[in-house]
């Protein structure tokens, strides 16, 4: 309770694989003149499908994720947003595969971000999955921030209309099937001393992506790693989020990755400012086929 009150813990709950619930998402980069950045941020943040939005140290200075529910056209939604924002340049960089997701902040250790976070490579991102009525209800209920009580799932189960053991069995089944990636606390990394983070974008020959991704994932400083589509003028296809206590620490990690992988063409974008970081409330339906 104290850690939540002091905003060390941002949120306690699940991370769902949105694609398994029929959602489509992409990473968007925009080049916005400084005098129009505040307006652009306001427009982007208003969109309910935007979960993360950051200023980064690059000519492409605004980066955000955009997700749309089943049945919506992601390309058209992005085009509409671009029309409102009016960027000088825009990149649409959807993920091809997830290589790693998750970080452990070792706040009492040797200053590194974490110890031994296992990589979770996937050959492709998961497609939509059909959920039962109970599973839909559990997915909706789990997206509440759980209360700081000794038995937080009791009230959730009661609202769904099942016993707590059945509720938890359903949770475990969602986890085993990959609909839920993990359940845990989301930490505000700056609150625990990790003030620097950078998105390192690498140009990796396609045959080497799997091996390079495995090497990157072994670094505890790497929290997220994705293979993404490239774009004209943007040849970088592997994205790794690097966390550290200082910018120098992040650059050191990136240098080690370059040395171990042999990949010398990359671009480093430090986070300048966080404009939005919250989970998109996902709606699960059964009107999809596996």
């Amino acid at each position: 309770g104290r850690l939540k009150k002091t905003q060390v813990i941002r949120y306690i709950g699940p991370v769902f694989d949105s694609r398994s619930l029929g959602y489509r998402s992409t990473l968007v980069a925009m080049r916005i003149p400084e005098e129009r950045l505040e307006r652009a941020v306001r427009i982007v943040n208003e969109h309910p499908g935007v979960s993360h939005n950051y200023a980064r140290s690059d000519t492409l200075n605004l980066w955000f994720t955009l997700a749309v529910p089943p049945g919506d056209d992601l390309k058209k939604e992005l085009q509409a947003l671009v029309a409102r924002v009016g960027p000088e340049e825009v990149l649409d960089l959807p993920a091809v595969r997830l290589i790693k997701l998750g970080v452990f902040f070792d706040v009492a250790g040797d200053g590194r971000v974490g110890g031994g976070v296992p990589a979770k490579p996937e050959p492709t991102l998961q497609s939509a999955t059909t959920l039962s009525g109970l599973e839909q209800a559990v997915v909706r209920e789990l997206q509440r921030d759980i209360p700081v009580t000794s038995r937080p799932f009791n009230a959730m189960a009661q609202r769904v209309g099942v016993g707590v053991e059945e509720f938890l069995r359903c949770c475990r089944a969602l986890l085993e099937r990959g609909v839920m990636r993990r359940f845990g606390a989301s930490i505000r990394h700056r609150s625990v001393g990790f003030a620097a983070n950078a998105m390192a974008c690498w140009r990796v020959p396609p045959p080497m992506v799997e091996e390079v991704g495995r090497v990157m994932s072994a670094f505890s400083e790497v929290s997220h790693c994705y293979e993404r589509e490239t774009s004209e003028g943007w040849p970088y296809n592997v994205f790794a989020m690097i966390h550290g206590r200082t910018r120098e620490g992040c650059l050191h990690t990136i240098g080690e990755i370059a040395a171990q992988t042999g990949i010398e063409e990359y671009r480093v974008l430090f986070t300048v400012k966080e404009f939005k970081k919250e989970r998109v409330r996902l709606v699960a339906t059964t009107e999809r086929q596996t």
Side-chain angles (χ1 to χ4, degrees), residues 231-249:
S231 183
E232 185 177 354
W234 187 268
Y236 310 101
N237 58 335
V238 175
F239 290 60
M241 282 303 306
I242 314 292
H243 295 266
R245 294 190 182 277
T246 63
R247 288 171 63 96
E248 292 73 22

Side-chain angles (χ1 to χ4, degrees), residues 196-197 242-255 270:
N197 68 82
I242 314 292
H243 295 266
R245 294 190 182 277
T246 63
R247 288 171 63 96
E248 292 73 22
C250 291
L251 291 172
H252 177 74
T253 298
I254 292 167
F270 280 96

Side-chain angles (χ1 to χ4, degrees), residues 61-126:
N61 54 339
L62 191 67
W63 291 76
F64 60 91
T65 56
L66 175 65
V68 297
D72 285 12
D73 189 314
L74 179 59
K75 294 290 185 184
K76 287 183 178 179
E77 196 68 23
L78 177 56
Q79 287 170 2
L81 193 55
V82 168
R84 291 189 63 203
V85 174
E88 294 183 345
E89 183 181 358
V90 61
L91 298 181
D92 178 12
L93 303 167
V96 174
R97 105 174 84 181
L98 168 64
I99 299 171
K100 181 181 182 182
L101 178 64
V103 63
F104 171 75
F105 292 102
D106 183 10
V107 297
D110 60 2
R112 294 172 67 84
V113 174
V117 179
K120 297 182 179 179
E122 298 182 359
T124 56
L125 289 172
Q126 186 165 309

Side-chain angles (χ1 to χ4, degrees), residues 62-278:
L62 191 67
W63 291 76
F64 60 91
T65 56
L66 175 65
V68 297
D72 285 12
D73 189 314
L74 179 59
K75 294 290 185 184
K76 287 183 178 179
E77 196 68 23
L78 177 56
Q79 287 170 2
L81 193 55
V82 168
R84 291 189 63 203
V85 174
E88 294 183 345
E89 183 181 358
V90 61
L91 298 181
D92 178 12
L93 303 167
V96 174
R97 105 174 84 181
L98 168 64
I99 299 171
K100 181 181 182 182
L101 178 64
V103 63
F104 171 75
F105 292 102
D106 183 10
V107 297
D110 60 2
R112 294 172 67 84
V113 174
V117 179
K120 297 182 179 179
E122 298 182 359
T124 56
L125 289 172
Q126 186 165 309
S127 58
T129 301
T130 300
L131 300 181
S132 69
L134 173 59
E135 288 172 331
Q136 292 178 64
V138 169
V139 166
R140 287 194 295 270
E141 189 62 36
L142 282 174
Q143 290 180 82
R144 301 171 184 260
D145 188 15
I146 69 169
V148 184
T149 64
S150 60
R151 295 182 177 272
F153 298 105
N154 285 11
M156 291 185 173
Q158 186 175 17
R159 284 191 291 266
V160 170
V162 298
V164 68
E165 288 305 319
E166 185 177 0
F167 183 90
L168 290 172
R169 275 196 299 272
C170 187
C171 292
R172 287 190 287 269
L174 291 171
L175 190 60
E176 289 166 3
R177 290 165 59 192
V179 176
M180 188 197 308
R181 294 197 181 280
R182 59 182 171 84
F183 190 100
S186 172
I187 304 297
R188 296 181 192 272
H189 52 85
R190 292 181 182 273
S191 298
V192 291
F194 294 89
N197 68 82
M199 184 171 66
C201 306
W202 310 76
R203 187 175 187 175
V204 181
M208 294 179 61
V209 167
E210 188 169 346
E211 176 58 29
V212 168
R214 193 160 36 239
V215 173
M216 289 182 180
S217 296
F219 281 80
S220 57
E221 293 87 352
V222 174
S223 61
H224 300 63
C225 188
Y226 283 88
E227 179 186 5
R228 294 189 176 277
E229 292 182 13
T230 57
S231 183
E232 185 177 354
W234 187 268
Y236 310 101
N237 58 335
V238 175
F239 290 60
M241 282 303 306
I242 314 292
H243 295 266
R245 294 190 182 277
T246 63
R247 288 171 63 96
E248 292 73 22
C250 291
L251 291 172
H252 177 74
T253 298
I254 292 167
E256 287 187 342
I257 290 173
Q260 290 191 28
T261 61
I263 303 299
E264 298 180 349
E265 190 171 350
Y266 58 88
R267 199 156 166 171
V268 179
L269 292 79
F270 280 96
T271 301
V272 176
K273 188 172 183 179
E274 177 187 296
F275 295 121
K276 186 177 184 180
K277 187 175 183 180
E278 61 185 46

